Amino acid sequence: MAKKGAFNTLLGMGTIVLGAAYVYGQNFSVGTTDYFVENPRFDNALNGFTIAHLSDIHLPNQMVDVNAIVKQVAEIQPDIIALSGDMIETDATGLEEAELYTFLRALTDIAPTFATFGNHDAVSLHQNMLIRAMAKAGVVHLNDRAITYTYKGQAITLMGLDDKANRHFLNGDALRTVSLTTEQKMQPKILLAHHPEAFLRYHENIDKSPDLVLSGHAHGGQIRLPFIGGLFAPGQGRLPKYTSGVFYLPGNPAKQMVVSRGIGASSFPIRLNNRPEIVAVHLTTDIDRAVSGLTEAIDYVAEQEGAVTSNTIRENHAAKQAERAQAHGYFSEKEDLDLAEVSASNQATAATTSASIDATADVIISELNHRKGVDGLQTTPVPPAPVAEYDDDVVDRTSIDLPKYEVAEEKVTHASDLTESYILLDPETKERTVVAERVDAEQIFSDNLNEEMFIVADPKKK
C-alpha cells in the first residue's frame, strides 16, 4: 500500500509539473504560423511577397520576451511588417519610452513597418508616447489613411483603420474615413484593421474593398477547444467566428482576411491551447505552386542536414515494396507495368525492355543528380534554381543576421517634425480632442509634462 501511495504521489506531482510546463509554454513562448493567400491580383513582384503580421502585443504585459518576438520576425524574412493594433496596454505603467522605441526600431531594421491602432492604443494613457516612439523609429502610422507602397516596381495600396473610443465607426461603411486616389482604387489593396468582426463592413464600398485584411483583437478566443475553437472574443461574444486563420468573403473567395491569435493577453491573463503567434502571410497567384515551393525548400534543407524528408520516406517505401515483390515473384508498382505483361516465352523481349527502362532510369537519375549538383564525383551541394513564378527565398529561414534588441540608456529624443494626430486632454472637463494638424512637437511633447498622463488644454478653448 505504501508503494502504491508513493506511486500515486509521484504521478500526481508529475501531472502538475507537466501541466505547469504546458501552461507556461502556452503563454510565455511565441511561434510562427504560415498562411498562403491566393489571389490573381498578387502577381508579378507580389507573387511570393511576405508580410510578418503582429497583433495584440499589449506591452508591457505581453509575457513573451521581446527578443523572441524580434528573432521570430527576422526569421520570416518579411518584405514588410504589419502591426494591426493593441501594441500597448491601456494602462502601460512601467513601459519605458526608450524600451518601446528600441523594440519598434528593431522591427523597422528588419523591414518597412506599418501600424494601426487597436482599442487599447486608442484610449491608452501612454498613447502619445507610442506616437512619438513610432515616429522616431520610422513606423508608418496608417491612421485612417491609405498610402501607395511600391515593391520592385509594383504598386500596392496599404490602408489602415485606426480604432476609436466607441464602436460606431464600424457601422455601415467602416472605411468611410479612408480616402483613396483613383490609382489606389485600381491597385491591389491590403487593410490593417483591428476588428475581425467587421469583416463584411470593410467591403461596403466596392472601390475601397481590400483584397486582404489583417486583423487581430480576438486573442484566438482566449481558450481553444478541439473541433470547437475559441470560447470568447471581445465584440463577438461566446463561440466567436473570427478568432484565428484565413477567412473568405462570401461570394468572392479571392478577398480574404487573416486573423492573428496575437501575442499578449488582456483582461483574461491565461491562454490555453492558444499559443502566442506571429503570422507569416505569403501572397501568391498559385497556392499549389507556393506550397510546393515551400515543401521543396524545407526538404532540400533537411536533406543537407541529414534529416528524413517526405521524399526519403516515399523512396524507402517504394524500395521495400519492390524487394517484397521480387521475393514473391510478382511485379511492384515501382517497376514498369509493361514488364508485368511479358510472358515467359518472350524473355528476350523482356530483357530488351528491361534494359531500355534501366537506361531511361539512368537518364532520369542523372538529370536529377545534375539538378541537385552531384554529377560524377561532385560532392558539394548546389541549391536548386529558384522557381520563376515563385520566390522560394521567402521561406528560407536557415541563416539570418538578427538585429540585437538592446534598450538604450538614454531616452529617445522627441521628433520636432511630428505630424501624426495626437490627443488633447482638457484637465478640467477631461474632454479628449483628436488633433491631426502640424504642431510644435518640441513644445507639445515636453519632458516637463506629467509622465503618467498627457495633459494639455485644448487650444480651441483659448
Side-chain angles (χ1 to χ4, degrees):
M1 294 296 293
K3 291 183 178 180
K4 184 176 181 180
F7 174 77
N8 290 337
T9 301
L10 290 174
L11 181 61
M13 292 178 62
T15 302
I16 293 174
V17 170
L18 290 175
Y22 172 76
V23 173
Y24 181 88
Q26 287 289 299
N27 291 270
F28 290 88
S29 65
V30 62
T32 299
T33 305
D34 291 276
Y35 292 117
F36 289 89
V37 176
E38 182 180 17
N39 189 318
R41 288 167 62 80
F42 298 147
D43 58 359
N44 300 323
L46 295 182
N47 192 22
F49 188 85
T50 298
I51 305 170
H53 175 207
L54 286 74
S55 186
D56 301 277
I57 304 175
H58 287 281
L59 294 166
N61 303 329
Q62 77 285 353
M63 294 191 284
V64 176
D65 182 18
V66 289
N67 292 285
I69 297 174
V70 172
K71 179 180 179 181
Q72 292 280 62
V73 172
E75 288 178 350
I76 293 173
Q77 297 186 4
D79 295 300
I80 64 171
I81 299 171
L83 306 174
S84 61
D86 280 2
M87 289 170 278
I88 63 175
E89 275 284 12
T90 301
D91 181 14
T93 303
L95 178 61
E96 294 291 335
E97 184 170 346
E99 183 178 4
L100 176 61
Y101 161 77
T102 309
F103 170 65
L104 295 175
R105 182 56 185 268
L107 296 180
T108 57
D109 283 345
I110 297 172
T113 304
F114 305 87
T116 193
F117 280 177
N119 53 297
H120 284 267
D121 304 315
V123 298
S124 176
L125 302 178
H126 294 73
Q127 184 193 92
N128 296 284
M129 181 176 72
L130 174 60
I131 292 175
R132 286 198 301 269
M134 289 170 58
K136 187 66 177 177
V139 176
V140 180
H141 184 191
L142 297 176
N143 51 336
D144 288 7
R145 63 192 180 108
I147 67 167
T148 297
Y149 179 72
T150 303
Y151 176 75
K152 294 183 179 180
Q154 186 163 351
I156 184 171
T157 298
L158 300 178
M159 302 182 291
L161 180 64
D162 256 2
D163 214 304
K164 282 76 175 176
N166 56 59
R167 296 293 180 270
H168 298 309
F169 73 99
L170 294 175
N171 297 332
D173 176 13
L175 300 183
R176 56 187 176 275
T177 57
V178 181
S179 299
L180 272 68
T181 65
T182 302
E183 291 77 13
Q184 289 173 337
K185 293 177 182 179
M186 301 298 293
Q187 295 166 179
K189 293 180 284 293
I190 296 177
L191 170 67
L192 277 62
H194 190 61
H195 293 267
E197 67 271 22
F199 181 35
L200 301 182
R201 296 292 186 187
Y202 300 143
H203 300 274
E204 287 282 331
N205 187 326
I206 191 171
D207 290 332
K208 302 177 184 178
S209 175
D211 297 287
L212 173 63
V213 179
L214 300 177
S215 189
H217 187 54
H219 291 248
Q222 209 64 58
I223 297 176
R224 299 183 65 84
L225 299 179
F227 310 108
I228 296 178
L231 296 185
F232 179 82
Q236 301 184 64
R238 299 184 183 91
L239 301 179
K241 178 179 180 180
Y242 305 113
T243 60
S244 175
V246 183
F247 299 87
Y248 304 87
L249 184 68
N252 190 349
K255 293 182 177 291
Q256 299 162 64
M257 175 174 68
V258 174
V259 181
S260 169
R261 298 196 305 268
I263 294 175
S266 183
S267 55
F268 189 78
I270 302 298
R271 304 168 69 109
L272 293 177
N273 197 29
N274 183 26
R275 186 186 180 193
E277 72 172 351
I278 297 170
V279 174
V281 182
H282 307 282
L283 309 186
T284 179
T285 57
D286 186 344
I287 195 166
D288 291 332
R289 188 63 175 267
V291 173
S292 175
L294 174 62
T295 303
E296 289 177 6
I298 293 175
D299 282 352
Y300 177 78
V301 173
E303 287 176 357
Q304 306 311 308
E305 298 296 329
V308 176
T309 67
S310 57
N311 287 334
T312 304
I313 295 174
R314 283 193 295 267
E315 290 173 0
N316 290 342
H317 178 68
K320 290 182 179 180
Q321 277 189 324
E323 183 179 348
R324 287 196 298 267
Q326 292 174 0
H328 290 81
Y330 60 87
F331 292 92
S332 68
E333 296 180 358
K334 187 173 183 293
E335 298 173 289
D336 195 290
L337 294 178
D338 291 339
L339 292 178
E341 300 175 357
V342 178
S343 64
S345 59
N346 293 323
Q347 292 297 325
T349 305
T352 303
T353 305
S354 178
S356 175
I357 292 175
D358 290 341
T360 304
D362 289 340
V363 172
I364 295 174
I365 292 172
S366 176
E367 177 62 23
L368 290 175
N369 287 338
H370 174 69
R371 293 184 181 182
K372 292 182 179 180
V374 292
D375 288 329
L377 298 177
Q378 183 179 351
T379 57
T380 303
V382 178
V387 181
E389 298 180 4
Y390 185 80
D391 185 9
D392 290 339
D393 290 339
V394 299
V395 293
D396 179 11
R397 301 173 185 170
T398 55
S399 60
I400 304 167
D401 293 329
L402 300 180
K404 294 182 179 179
Y405 177 82
E406 298 177 354
V407 178
E409 294 182 1
E410 298 181 359
K411 288 195 173 184
V412 297
T413 57
H414 298 157
S416 59
D417 57 347
L418 183 66
T419 58
E420 300 283 1
S421 61
Y422 62 96
I423 298 294
L424 296 178
L425 178 63
D426 192 315
E428 296 179 359
T429 64
K430 304 301 180 184
E431 177 184 356
R432 286 174 174 261
T433 304
V434 178
V435 180
E437 54 194 34
R438 182 178 293 277
V439 297
D440 184 350
E442 288 294 345
Q443 179 180 354
I444 292 294
F445 301 124
S446 170
D447 286 328
N448 298 322
L449 291 177
N450 188 306
E451 293 183 359
E452 296 298 325
M453 182 179 297
F454 173 61
I455 299 177
V456 63
D458 187 345
K460 297 179 182 178
K461 295 182 180 294
K462 293 181 179 180

